[in-house]
Amino acid sequence: MSNFIDIVFHIDIYLETLFSQIGNWIYVVLFFIVFSETGFVITPFLPGDSLLFTVGALSSRQLLCPWSSLIVLSVAATVGNTVNYHIGRFVGPKVFSKENSFFFNKKHFYTTAQFYEKHGTKTIIIARFLPIIRTFAPFVAGIGRMRYLKFQIYNIFSSILWSGSLIATGYFFGNLPYVKENFSMFILGIIIVSVIPSIWKAISIKRSEAK
């Protein structure tokens, strides 16, 4: 666990080292991380926002190509959501037949379901910027039998918007001297800022249920 935390907070160093070892194969690794984070409800802990920001920062240092990164990671996010949608459609009800599970957190499922009730199909777009909900949103869409064409339109658009905005932010700000010298603190800030809305939503749902 400590190794994972160290990787997350020093993700730029690890990616630089990995790039020096495998070259352009790093795009395959990045694809797999984003695909897994968005494609499986058992891996919402994988880095998403912070990874994209770091990819942008490394692109500004000319280690990665920003356009290649955008294409690869947008496709990864789209395919991940698509797989998650089909998992939810075909096995979702069985997966959550038990009250609690080591891998599947039922509370996250209900939080996302409530999010859908409030925001409707726009949840696919909004959830892209919310860890945990981002992972569960396509799963819930599959369980709810959201029309596939509509799902894919929102899915593709949100993938490009999410990947493009964070890569661009990292590209323009991630290589500034102050940011570069305090990169781990900025990664922590990104994680905190991105997680706060999800925590706040879970608390508000819990309060409403208690009334």
Side-chain angles (χ1 to χ4, degrees):
M1 184 65 180
S2 60
N3 288 338
F4 176 77
I5 294 174
D6 184 66
I7 291 172
V8 170
F9 286 112
H10 300 93
I11 192 169
D12 58 325
I13 297 174
Y14 281 95
L15 287 181
E16 282 191 53
T17 302
L18 187 62
F19 178 77
S20 68
Q21 295 173 346
I22 65 174
N24 286 333
W25 283 101
I26 195 171
Y27 291 108
V28 176
V29 176
L30 295 173
F31 180 98
F32 180 75
I33 294 173
V34 172
F35 167 78
S36 299
E37 197 253 357
T38 57
F40 306 112
V41 292
I42 62 174
T43 51
F45 56 84
L46 290 174
D49 300 336
S50 58
L51 177 69
L52 293 173
F53 179 86
T54 303
V55 167
L58 295 181
S59 297
S60 68
R61 302 174 198 174
Q62 299 183 340
L63 291 176
L64 299 173
C65 171
W67 295 109
S68 296
S69 299
L70 173 61
I71 293 170
V72 169
L73 298 181
S74 293
V75 171
T78 300
V79 176
N81 260 22
T82 301
V83 169
N84 213 343
Y85 172 90
H86 287 297
I87 292 174
R89 187 177 182 118
F90 292 109
V91 304
K94 296 178 181 178
V95 168
F96 283 91
S97 60
K98 296 181 179 180
E99 188 61 31
N100 285 302
S101 169
F102 179 77
F103 290 109
F104 301 92
N105 192 318
K106 211 168 184 181
K107 291 181 180 179
H108 295 161
F109 168 77
Y110 286 130
T111 299
T112 308
Q114 293 268 359
F115 205 85
Y116 259 102
E117 285 185 17
K118 182 175 182 179
H119 300 287
T121 53
K122 291 183 295 183
T123 297
I124 297 296
I125 296 176
I126 299 171
R128 279 293 185 192
F129 298 88
L130 302 175
I132 299 177
I133 291 180
R134 170 169 60 242
T135 303
F136 276 77
F139 186 80
V140 174
I143 292 177
R145 304 271 171 168
M146 180 179 176
R147 193 158 57 91
Y148 187 67
L149 178 59
K150 179 183 287 188
F151 169 79
Q152 282 296 8
I153 291 172
Y154 282 95
N155 182 25
I156 294 170
F157 175 75
S158 64
S159 297
I160 296 171
L161 180 65
W162 177 56
S163 301
S165 61
L166 285 167
I167 290 174
T169 302
Y171 185 87
F172 290 111
F173 297 101
N175 204 32
L176 295 176
Y178 183 77
V179 177
K180 194 174 180 180
E181 292 170 6
N182 301 277
F183 203 83
S184 60
M185 294 303 297
F186 277 89
I187 292 298
L188 176 61
I190 290 171
I191 294 172
I192 292 174
V193 169
S194 60
V195 167
I196 284 176
S198 298
I199 295 175
W200 179 257
K201 183 64 180 177
I203 293 173
S204 63
I205 290 173
K206 199 166 186 179
R207 284 179 177 174
S208 63
E209 290 176 349
K211 291 180 180 180

